[in-house]
Structures are given as C-alpha cells and as structure tokens.
Amino acid sequence: MLIWFVVLYLLLSIGIGLYASTRVHSAKDFAVAGRHLPLPIVTATVFATWFGAETVLGISATFVKEGLHGVVADPFGASLCLILAGLFFARKLYRMNLLTIGDYYRLRYNQTVELVATLCIVISYLGWVSAQIMALGLVFNVVSGGEVSQPVGMVIGAAIVLTYTMFGGMWSVALLDFVQMTVIMGGMLFIGYLISDMTGGVGAVLAHAQAAGKLDLFPHGDYSVWVPFVGAWLTMMLGSIPQQDVFQRITSAKDEKTAVRGSVMGGSIYFAFAFVPMFLAYAATMIDPAVFDSLLIEDSQLVLPTLILNYTPLFAQVIFFGALLSAIMSCSSATLLAPSVAFTENILKHFVFKNMSDQQFLRAMRITVLCFGTVVLGVALDSEASIFKMVENAYKITLVAAFVPLAFGLYWKRASTQGAIFAMTLGLSSWILMEVVNPEGIWPPQLVGLIASFAGMVMGSLLPQVIAKRLPSEPEHAWLHHHAASHTEHVAPHPHHPSRPESPR
C-alpha cells in the first residue's frame, strides 16, 4: 500500500510540474519565472532551498551522533545564509535585473571573472544535487521493502525530477515548492506529535538530550576545536550566498520588497523546521536504543525511515514519506535548474554560441538540464560519501572563489577586476594546497582559502593596475542605478566594451 501511495504522489507532482510548463514562453520565464512570484511562493521556494535530503536524513543523523555543535553548518549556517542574503544582497541584486549570478561578475568585473566564478558555482552543485538523487534512491529502496535497489531508485528519481524541471523550469520549481512546503510542514509536525507520545513528550526528549550533552552548541576547548567549528559555520553561511539557486529565488520575486522579505522569512522558517527531524531521530534512540544505536554505526541515514516504518501506522508512513519526497524533490529540482541556467547563460551564450535567439536559448537551457542531470546521476551512483558530507563540501569552492568578489563588488567601490582575479587565484590555490598538504589540520582548508581571498581582493585592488584597467570610479549607487534603468528584460554587456558597463560620465 505504501509504495502505491508514493507512486500516486509522484504522478501528482509530475502533473503539477507539467502544468507549470504552460507558463513558460521565454528564457526569462524558464530561468526566473518572469519575475512574477508573490511573497508566499517566494517564501516557500526559499525554504525549499535547504529543506532537502540532508535536512531530513543527514542533519538528523549527525545531530544524534555529535550534538548541536556537529550541525553548526546546517541548519545554523544555512539559515543565516538565507537571512543575510535577504538583508544585504537581495535588494542590490534585484535592482540590477540580472538573469544569473554570473552576469553580475561580468558586469562588475569582466568575462574572465565571470567564467571562473560560473565554473566554480556549477562544480559546487555536483555534490549537492547528487546527494538529493542518492536520497531519492534510498527512499524508493525503503518504501519498496528492498524490491527496488538504491541504484535503480536513483535512476527513477532522477528521471522524475528531470521530467518536470526540464519542461517547467523555475515555474515548476516554484509551484511545486509551494505545494510541497505545505506537505512538509504538516507532515513533520504530525509525525512529531505521534513520536512525542511514545517518549513521554517533547520535554522528556529535550531533557534526555541535554543530559547527554547533545544541546551544547559551542565546543569546549582551545582554538584547536574552535577554528574548525568557525570554519564549518562560515562555509555554509558565506559560501552559499553566491549560489545561483539562492539568486534565482531573489530575482524571481515580483518586486524587491518581496525578494527581501521572502528570503528572510524562508530562512527563518527553515531554521525552525530543521529541528523537527533532529527531534525525531533522537527520540528514536530513546524508543529502542539497541536497534537505533546499531543503525547509527551501520547506516545512520536509515534511522528516521526505520523509525517510521516500524513504529507508526500506515497513515503516518504515507505522511512521512510524502513529506520526505516533497523535501527531496523540491530541493533537487531547484539545484538541478540553477547550475544548468548559469552554465547556459554565462558559458554557452557568452563563449560558445554568441548569437542565440530567445527560443534557441530556452532550448539550450533545457538540453543543459538533461545533460547536468545525467552527470549528477553518475556521480551519485559512484559516491560513497554521506548525504550530509556531500552537501557540506559543496560550498567550499564558492566560499574561496566567489564570495569575496561578490560582497566586495557590492559594498567596496574600490574593488577592481584585478582585485577579483587576485582574490580568486589566491583563494583557490591556497584552498587546493591545504587540501593536498594538510586536509585534516586545525585550520580547515576552505577557511584558509577565504582569508587568502580577502587578502587578494584588498591587495589586488589597492596595487597599481597591472592586469586590467581601473573600473569607473563613480559611486556604487550610480552604477547600480544605471543598470537597473537600462536593462529591462535581460542584462547584456555594453556593445563597445563587453567586459564592463558604460560610465554615465
């Protein structure tokens, strides 16, 4: 019975996704839903940015083993990323009317910076999307009682997500996120209510976790434990800001106020609901310590599915696996679309096929979605890493290469193309060097890369220009106003100088 309910839910999701495809008439509709999304849908789709396989299966298992300080990256860093993106980046980026985050790097710096940043962003999604595909395979394996193997489940899940994402683009992602957020929130609260009755209430679970030291957020010790802790926090909090999926949610809003409010509200709701799977997983160890302690050693990602299958009625199982599939599918569709759009816009269109019409561009994005989906399926089938680690590692490359040029470009008028190139070069090289020489040292490689990236931006921008000409020195607000006013449908480079905007002077 459970597998048929799952099949019915999947068919319904495909139907909604294909219905959304009727709204796609242009590349802008496909990439950013025509910039028409209202606040409830923007909030839902921002929430769904993070609430995926790693939240339900990965974070919950990590919390049971390591406590709160083990999940500082997610949900603490992840939710702060969305809130900071809304407060400090949404308004400025929305006014520029861009199609991708890569467009920003081209217009603020040049095409070299655009190319490097886009490649780093696209690469970062390989682990993230692969983690969602792995989780889909796990769900199919569990609900079928082992009849469907995890690799076969991955193929089925990838095919379903590819179908509606390839046709409906951001419209499919947004509408399904809104429906699935309702299922997720209602389902998780209902399951939490059932499980709390088995453990003597929420208070009993919290008291047990407190006594076991699982609720201590900050580590105890000297800098040797604090430095890795801060590194994990910053990796998700800052490394996720220059991501295409976060950018798409901001720019899909109907106006800049909606973009800001939707991002802050979505991040706040995510932070609150991320604790529900953690509560459920820890409650499982109180219900049957022997079974679930052994599962934590063998495969901790099976703790929650096993709890639901063995200790709840069929109705609750349908609710849970419906909510779990909602979380995974909403996250995987968005993370599949984002790198595909970025690659098509910032690499294919600007470096390979430079004279594509809008319909050719739309077709190219759909083909890229199919190709990227095939690649991440291959990565998922070949990977042995945990879902949580795959997601956590995804943001290291964007932290060391893309964050500093984005933040300094928006808030420091002296940031130059040379500074951005220095930041990317030093950030990437120092990170890679540390990963090779001392990956398990006190100083996380990505934190060293971030510090080097900061130094590179300041040094490169203040030194005499030896790589690129100095950018126009008009105030930042004038530069942003110029682009907001002069780019209506899609920002394009100035015809006389493809690497930077025209100076109003």
Side-chain angles (χ1 to χ4, degrees):
M1 286 295 294
L2 179 59
I3 189 64
W4 287 112
F5 278 115
V6 169
V7 170
L8 181 64
Y9 178 79
L10 292 174
L11 291 175
L12 178 64
S13 297
I14 292 173
I16 294 173
L18 293 178
Y19 164 75
S21 69
T22 61
R23 293 175 172 263
V24 178
H25 306 293
S26 66
K28 185 176 181 180
D29 290 334
F30 187 85
V32 290
R35 290 166 64 99
H36 293 315
L37 300 183
L39 180 60
I41 295 183
V42 173
T43 302
T45 196
V46 168
F47 168 81
T49 304
W50 299 126
F51 206 99
E54 73 283 0
T55 309
V56 180
L57 301 177
I59 294 176
S60 58
T62 304
F63 167 74
V64 173
K65 290 189 290 186
E66 302 179 25
L68 281 183
H69 67 269
V71 295
V72 64
D74 194 359
F76 291 93
S79 56
L80 275 173
C81 159
L82 298 174
I83 294 171
L84 292 176
L87 294 176
F88 298 104
F89 295 87
R91 197 178 302 275
K92 290 176 178 288
L93 292 174
Y94 189 89
R95 290 174 184 172
M96 296 174 67
N97 196 15
L98 307 172
L99 192 67
T100 68
I101 189 69
D103 289 339
Y104 167 82
Y105 292 101
R106 181 182 72 256
L107 292 167
R108 182 61 177 88
Y109 302 110
N110 66 10
Q111 287 189 323
T112 300
V113 177
E114 171 196 21
L115 177 63
V116 175
T118 301
L119 286 174
C120 291
I121 290 169
V122 170
I123 290 171
S124 73
Y125 280 96
L126 287 174
W128 193 4
V129 189
S130 297
Q132 311 309 314
I133 301 300
M134 286 178 63
L136 284 172
L138 180 66
V139 171
F140 282 115
N141 178 255
V142 170
V143 299
S144 67
E147 293 295 322
V148 177
S149 67
Q150 190 165 346
V152 173
M154 291 184 199
V155 175
I156 296 172
I160 292 170
V161 174
L162 267 173
T163 298
Y164 66 78
T165 306
M166 191 165 60
F167 286 101
M170 191 61 193
W171 271 115
S172 288
V173 171
L175 292 183
L176 274 169
D177 282 352
F178 183 71
V179 173
Q180 291 166 339
M181 179 182 175
T182 306
V183 175
I184 292 167
M185 295 176 71
M188 287 295 171
L189 289 176
F190 176 73
I191 296 297
Y193 170 75
L194 285 181
I195 297 301
S196 65
D197 280 348
M198 302 180 191
T199 57
V202 176
V205 177
L206 293 178
H208 193 283
Q210 178 67 51
K214 301 296 184 181
L215 300 186
D216 296 336
L217 173 60
F218 299 108
H220 302 287
D222 57 10
Y223 77 99
S224 64
V225 294
W226 274 93
V227 171
F229 175 82
V230 172
W233 196 329
L234 291 180
T235 299
M236 287 287 280
M237 184 172 68
L238 302 182
S240 307
I241 290 177
Q243 286 285 2
Q244 174 63 19
D245 62 309
V246 175
F247 174 85
Q248 274 181 298
R249 282 150 174 74
I250 291 172
T251 53
S252 296
K254 64 179 182 178
D255 54 54
E256 65 180 62
K257 286 185 178 180
T258 301
V260 174
R261 293 171 182 171
S263 186
V264 174
M265 290 172 61
S268 302
I269 295 173
Y270 170 75
F271 180 75
F273 267 83
F275 286 93
V276 179
M278 287 190 267
F279 168 81
L280 295 176
Y282 193 83
T285 63
M286 296 173 60
I287 294 172
D288 195 335
V291 170
F292 290 106
D293 286 348
S294 64
L295 265 183
L296 285 173
I297 299 173
E298 296 170 11
D299 189 351
S300 60
Q301 294 167 165
L302 288 174
V303 169
L304 266 185
T306 303
L307 170 70
I308 301 304
L309 284 174
N310 294 344
Y311 293 92
T312 62
L314 177 62
F315 177 70
Q317 294 174 25
V318 172
I319 293 294
F320 173 80
F321 285 104
L324 178 57
L325 280 172
S326 294
I328 298 171
M329 290 171 62
S330 61
C331 192
S332 57
S333 59
T335 52
L336 183 62
L337 177 67
S340 303
V341 171
F343 182 83
T344 309
E345 159 72 1
N346 300 113
I347 295 178
L348 288 185
K349 187 176 181 180
H350 290 151
F351 292 94
V352 183
F353 306 109
K354 298 184 178 181
N355 297 310
M356 284 192 289
S357 66
D358 189 72
Q359 288 303 308
Q360 289 173 328
F361 184 43
L362 175 59
R363 189 181 307 115
M365 282 194 287
R366 284 173 166 156
I367 293 172
T368 306
V369 169
L370 177 61
C371 294
F372 192 79
T374 305
V375 171
V376 297
L377 175 60
V379 173
L381 290 170
D382 190 55
S383 177
E384 297 181 358
S386 71
I387 292 172
F388 183 77
K389 284 300 179 185
M390 289 182 74
V391 172
E392 186 180 23
N393 291 335
Y395 307 106
K396 293 179 180 179
I397 189 169
T398 47
L399 177 70
V400 302
F403 173 73
V404 169
L406 173 65
F408 275 66
L410 288 174
Y411 283 98
W412 192 36
K413 66 180 181 180
R414 298 187 67 177
S416 68
T417 301
Q418 178 174 276
I421 293 174
F422 274 38
M424 289 178 160
T425 302
L426 291 180
L428 285 169
S429 59
S430 59
W431 168 58
I432 293 172
L433 179 63
M434 289 292 292
E435 288 283 3
V436 172
V437 175
N438 192 21
E440 301 299 329
I442 295 175
W443 284 86
Q446 71 272 19
L447 185 57
V448 175
L450 176 63
I451 295 171
S453 183
F454 273 108
M457 171 59 77
V458 175
M459 179 175 62
S461 297
L462 297 182
L463 285 175
Q465 301 291 298
V466 294
I467 292 179
K469 294 180 180 178
R470 188 182 300 275
L471 285 172
S473 58
E474 70 269 17
E476 174 200 341
H477 61 81
W479 181 76
L480 293 176
H481 175 74
H482 169 67
H483 288 290
S486 62
H487 299 83
T488 54
E489 282 298 313
H490 172 51
V491 175
H494 187 262
H496 301 301
H497 199 309
S499 64
R500 60 176 64 89
E502 178 188 17
S503 170
R505 297 178 298 181

